Amino acid sequence: IEAKPRRRAVGHPGRPSVLVRGPNDCGSVDYKGQFRLGNGQYCYPLTVTDNQSRYLLGCQGLAGTLLEPQGFAISAGTAHRQYPAVAGGSGAWLVAWQDERGGTRDIYAARVTADGSVVDTAGIALCVETGDQFSPAAAFDSVWLVAWADRRGSYGDIYACRVSAGGIPLDSGGFAIAAAGDEQSAPAVKSDGS
């Protein structure tokens, strides 16, 4: 009898994807939504925590005006659309999400202008390959980069796709960032600002 290799369980998308060895080793930032203050302004609290001690390192409430109190649809339909990731750049925002309109989890995106207009109302298909694609992350640095966890193979891998300012996917189906014999999950991307 041969032992089968064990698959590592995929954790919650909000769980740190690195081993936390001590204080200040890894932190989390969490947007708590918004609420109205007594003076009628809205507050948008942002918390920063240390993942080792779980102490609150900072919480800042940013006053401002809520432009869309009821929100607005970026992608509507009967299939599940969840886990959005947002990145701003080139005068617009790119919102990427996990979408089940094809029966499995795929990655779609849409551009949203500064005035809240959705440019790509049907969504831009970034990856509709076999298997599930889920948990997108997005950043901008001359083009948008959307990364996601991908199960087109035996194990979960991390794939990504670049998206032009014009909303054109530059890497059809995505390209592998991390594809090894074990499970890769919970991608995160960030621009270096250059």
Side-chain angles (χ1 to χ4, degrees):
I1 298 175
E2 284 186 39
K4 290 185 178 181
R6 296 185 71 173
R7 288 182 70 166
R8 197 170 69 199
V10 178
H12 184 272
R15 188 182 80 190
S17 59
V18 298
L19 178 62
V20 180
R21 298 176 195 268
N24 301 318
D25 194 23
C26 181
S28 293
V29 177
D30 186 21
Y31 171 65
K32 299 290 187 191
Q34 73 271 347
F35 60 91
R36 190 181 298 243
L37 300 170
N39 64 4
Q41 287 186 314
Y42 278 88
C43 178
Y44 308 94
L46 186 69
T47 60
V48 181
T49 59
D50 178 311
N51 286 336
Q52 169 70 23
S53 60
R54 301 303 295 171
Y55 284 114
L56 180 65
L57 301 178
C59 181
Q60 182 175 7
L62 305 173
T65 303
L66 186 60
L67 299 176
E68 298 287 341
Q70 304 304 317
F72 60 93
I74 295 181
S75 177
T78 58
H80 286 100
R81 289 161 171 83
Q82 52 193 3
Y83 304 116
V86 181
S90 195
W93 297 92
L94 184 77
V95 181
W97 65 90
Q98 170 182 307
D99 192 304
E100 295 181 26
R101 71 179 76 173
T104 60
R105 297 180 290 177
D106 296 315
I107 303 298
Y108 279 76
R111 291 168 296 150
V112 179
T113 63
D115 69 357
S117 300
V118 179
V119 178
D120 311 294
T121 55
I124 305 165
L126 299 185
C127 186
V128 293
E129 299 293 321
T130 60
D132 284 329
Q133 291 80 41
F134 53 97
S135 299
F140 181 84
D141 192 357
S142 75
V143 296
W144 283 291
L145 178 70
V146 178
W148 60 86
D150 194 301
R151 288 236 174 92
R152 67 181 76 179
S154 299
Y155 291 99
D157 297 317
I158 303 297
Y159 275 71
C161 177
R162 295 169 301 143
V163 181
S164 73
I168 307 297
L170 302 175
D171 308 292
S172 179
F175 59 91
I177 291 180
D182 289 327
E183 187 81 21
Q184 282 75 227
S185 63
V189 294
K190 181 183 180 291
S191 168
D192 68 0
S194 61

